[in-house]
Amino acid sequence: MSLSLEHLVGIEGLSADTLSGILDLAGHFKRVNQRKMKKVPALRGVMVVNFFVENSTRTRLSFETAEKRLSADTLNFSASTSSLKKGETLVDTIKNVQAMSPDIVVIRHWAAGAPQLLTRHIDSAVINAGDGWHEHPTQALLDMLTIREHKGSFEGKKVAIIGDITHSRVARSNIYGLTTMGADVHVAGPPTMLPAALEQFDVTAHARVEPAMEAADVIMMLRIQKERLGAALYPNDREYFRFFGLSRERLRLAKDDCIVMHPGPVNRGVELAPEVADGDSNVILQQVANGVAVRMAVLYLVAGGGAVAP
Ligand code: NCD
């Protein structure tokens, strides 16, 4: 199958074939990453601007690593050192970035829809590295790659997504991707953190975590989005853990070979008991490693590559 991707602003609307194709290509780049010599010339001469208007550690480092492995030229732009702090509008800043003629812009922004807006103002390919509460498509792809590596396929696999669903772009992107691939997605969290419009998604919602975790193949714990919460939506960390956290006892409800995922950064003792965060079921660092391979695949595709990697 030939695969083409102009931009990657979200997982919503991508077909199962496209998602599988991206994951296959990421698998190829993962093998490249396991070689002694990890650098390939695929993006030589391609300029990538990393435009990060919201804090990020993992995602930014992962994109930069992916770009370097592909031999792209990179330029890093972060909000704290830019004129955005001086009152310039997003569109004006973007136009200045555009004047440098990048081929690809990777954007993280606190405003939902910023990557989409960008596609209308610049000629470069745009990759969404997380926009507000909206989507975080490369995170969902790396999560899906991790699930596929452990479970072989998605069809009928029970995936429990637990926590702050409302404010989580990771949850939204995963829900779109996993339901498209035929997984049986269950969500649970405090009622203040479950979106009212959940019926629009093909998921089963629970007020308690136990039925979501029961016989699960995958448990994906979400971070409490403290920076996005205006008023407190839960009483305190201890109580959150008591009702919604993943303890060793709760993990026993799931299948024996259940994997535990978390997009990071983990709030230890809030979402995950420390012994679960460090336990054998967790695949958190594998998720991080897969992030580089997935981002290499996406960069390669939006740069105009085909289905077959170099
Ligand atoms: C996520 C994010 O920023 O959306 N983290 C990440 O990209 N690794 C999840 C989170 O912050 O909770």
Side-chain angles (χ1 to χ4, degrees), residues 7-14 116 128 134-137 173 176:
H7 305 284
L8 180 66
V9 293
I11 299 292
E12 184 179 11
L14 296 186
Q116 189 68 51
N128 179 3
H134 179 224
E135 280 225 39
H136 193 351
S173 290
Y176 286 129

Side-chain angles (χ1 to χ4, degrees), residues 58-59 108 136 139 169-170 223 225 227-228 263-265:
R58 246 157 300 255
T59 305
R108 165 165 288 200
H136 193 351
Q139 177 72 41
R169 54 193 174 204
V170 176
R223 185 178 65 87
Q225 305 279 302
E227 72 280 18
R228 295 189 213 289

Side-chain angles (χ1 to χ4, degrees), residues 108-141:
R108 165 165 288 200
H109 202 282
W110 45 264
Q116 189 68 51
L117 179 76
L118 200 56
T119 61
R120 284 195 249 118
H121 286 274
I122 65 173
D123 304 325
S124 324
V126 174
I127 300 175
N128 179 3
D131 61 329
W133 306 1
H134 179 224
E135 280 225 39
H136 193 351
T138 56
Q139 177 72 41
L141 289 166

Side-chain angles (χ1 to χ4, degrees), residues 30-97:
K30 190 161 173 179
R31 288 187 289 282
V32 171
N33 287 336
Q34 283 156 353
R35 291 185 200 152
K36 195 162 183 294
M37 186 59 200
K38 300 178 176 60
K39 206 170 167 100
V40 291
L43 261 59
R44 187 176 287 158
V46 172
M47 184 177 168
V48 185
V49 171
N50 296 309
F51 187 76
F52 279 65
V53 186
E54 192 189 66
N55 289 345
S56 170
T57 310
R58 246 157 300 255
T59 305
R60 189 172 50 78
L61 290 179
S62 179
F63 267 109
E64 279 185 51
T65 307
E67 290 152 11
K68 290 191 163 59
R69 298 248 164 104
L70 292 170
S71 309
D73 297 321
T74 60
L75 206 75
N76 294 320
F77 175 104
S78 69
S80 54
T81 54
S82 75
S83 295
L84 282 176
K85 286 262 180 220
K86 300 181 192 163
E88 191 171 60
T89 68
L90 173 64
V91 170
D92 285 338
T93 308
I94 289 297
K95 286 188 171 157
N96 281 279
V97 174

